[in-house]
Amino acid sequence: MNKKMKSLVLGATLLVALPILGGCGNNNIGYVDSMKVANSTEKGLAITKEINAKDKELQAKVAAADEASRQQVIQQARQEFTAFSNAKASEYRQYQEQQINELVKEKKLDVIIEKGAVVGGGTDVTDDLINKMGKASDADIKAAENEANAAASQDAQAQAQPQESAQ
């Protein structure tokens, strides 16, 4: 091939490649705060309530068990709780993933990632996802926060009691 032909082929190749290479840095990335979404949506709060109710049910079952069968009841309760909470978490993830995929299309984003993975840039679409998934009422959000705080306080007290009685 002569020099002129090589130059034309190289020039044509560069002409075709420039738009492809030019688009490599222009990704539209969105990010969400998953914890805020879970704590601010009807679906997230409903699943949290279901998991908490199952936990209380199983705790009552353990408390009602006699001393001879207590360890077996505890082990069964743990297995049942793990299976239940995993199923509910999977249900929530599938629903959230469906809503995220729709949001990607609506906002013309290339990807949506977790907020913690973003060092800088990107577009926060947390509130958009919350609205898409169904924002819980402020009263429901506040009630869930109070319930979580009460449960954390009870857990702290329960852990402190065995330490106090050991002293």
Side-chain angles (χ1 to χ4, degrees):
M1 226 190 265
N2 66 22
K3 210 173 191 177
K4 189 174 184 178
M5 190 61 133
K6 285 181 185 178
S7 293
L8 284 172
V9 169
L10 182 60
T13 303
L14 285 174
L15 194 62
V16 169
L18 280 176
I20 295 169
L21 293 174
C24 286
N26 293 333
N27 293 328
N28 291 324
I29 298 173
Y31 62 89
V32 296
D33 181 344
S34 293
M35 288 304 294
K36 182 178 178 183
V37 172
N39 294 326
S40 301
T41 59
E42 294 169 351
K43 184 78 166 178
L45 293 179
I47 286 180
T48 300
K49 282 182 184 177
E50 289 179 49
I51 290 172
N52 290 341
K54 186 66 162 182
D55 186 37
K56 286 179 184 175
E57 171 193 325
L58 294 172
Q59 285 178 10
K61 194 183 279 188
V62 167
D66 61 2
E67 202 59 39
S69 63
R70 187 180 229 51
Q71 287 303 317
Q72 183 179 0
V73 172
I74 289 172
Q75 186 174 359
Q76 288 174 339
R78 283 182 182 156
Q79 289 174 346
E80 189 176 338
F81 181 75
T82 299
F84 182 81
S85 61
N86 286 345
K88 287 299 177 180
S90 178
E91 175 187 329
Y92 177 78
R93 276 192 308 274
Q94 287 175 348
Y95 176 73
Q96 185 181 34
E97 186 176 310
Q98 177 188 15
Q99 300 305 310
I100 286 172
N101 288 334
E102 290 177 15
L103 190 60
V104 164
K105 290 175 188 169
E106 289 172 13
K107 295 284 186 178
K108 296 184 172 105
L109 298 169
D110 295 319
V111 67
I112 293 178
I113 58 177
E114 177 60 36
K115 181 179 180 177
V118 177
V119 177
T123 303
D124 187 352
V125 293
T126 302
D127 291 334
D128 295 320
L129 182 59
I130 289 170
N131 291 330
K132 185 159 196 54
M133 290 178 66
K135 183 171 178 16
S137 71
D138 290 339
D140 287 344
I141 293 170
K142 191 69 172 168
E145 287 174 2
N146 291 339
E147 188 175 318
N149 290 339
S153 176
Q154 286 177 345
D155 288 346
Q157 287 176 353
Q159 288 177 353
Q161 286 176 349
Q163 291 174 355
E164 290 172 2
S165 61
Q167 293 174 353

